[in-house]
Amino acid sequence: MVLLDEEIAVLKVEAMEMKPGTRLACPQCTVEVVVVRPPSTALVLTCDGVELVDGAAERPGARHGEPAGEGVLVGKRYSDETSGLELLCAKAGPGSLAADGRGVAIKGAKPLPSSD
């Protein structure tokens, strides 16, 4: 059985444990994220349906068909409430992030206490 480079990169991501500081990237666009808080259970991270790979892996650079959302914005934090996952976008791109098929939304700012 012969595996393609993309398949090997996906297998490496599935085999490695996500921990804070882990860099992941979309093989089909410019999206790159850093894990801030790992998920409580194993899950599959995707960008417009394509599994994210290790950030150091070579990526072919093929583009997504039609981006499904507004894209991923650099410097923004994204979180999945169900798994506890939190990501920081290192490089913006046109794709939309999902964890096990659930959309990963921009994490809102914490409200400051009132100053009465």
Side-chain angles (χ1 to χ4, degrees), residues 2-106:
V2 177
L3 295 176
L4 300 174
D5 289 337
E6 299 89 29
E7 293 171 328
I8 292 171
V10 169
L11 289 174
K12 286 180 184 175
V13 168
E14 289 175 358
M16 87 174 149
E17 183 180 328
M18 273 194 269
K19 56 186 177 186
T22 302
R23 291 185 73 92
L24 301 171
C26 178
Q28 292 191 355
C29 70
T30 56
V31 170
E32 287 188 22
V33 295
V34 177
V35 176
V36 175
R37 187 179 324 132
S40 56
T41 60
L43 54 78
V44 177
L45 285 172
T46 59
C47 179
D48 273 355
V50 178
E51 286 190 54
L52 297 182
V53 297
D54 181 45
E58 286 198 35
R59 297 177 282 167
R63 295 282 178 210
H64 295 292
E66 183 65 31
E70 62 197 37
V72 181
L73 305 173
V74 70
K76 296 292 184 182
R77 289 180 184 245
Y78 292 82
S79 65
D80 176 43
E81 298 296 324
T82 305
S83 66
L85 172 71
E86 187 174 328
L87 304 168
L88 173 66
C89 177
K91 286 190 181 177
S96 294
L97 297 173
D100 284 344
R102 296 179 305 274
V104 178
I106 292 178

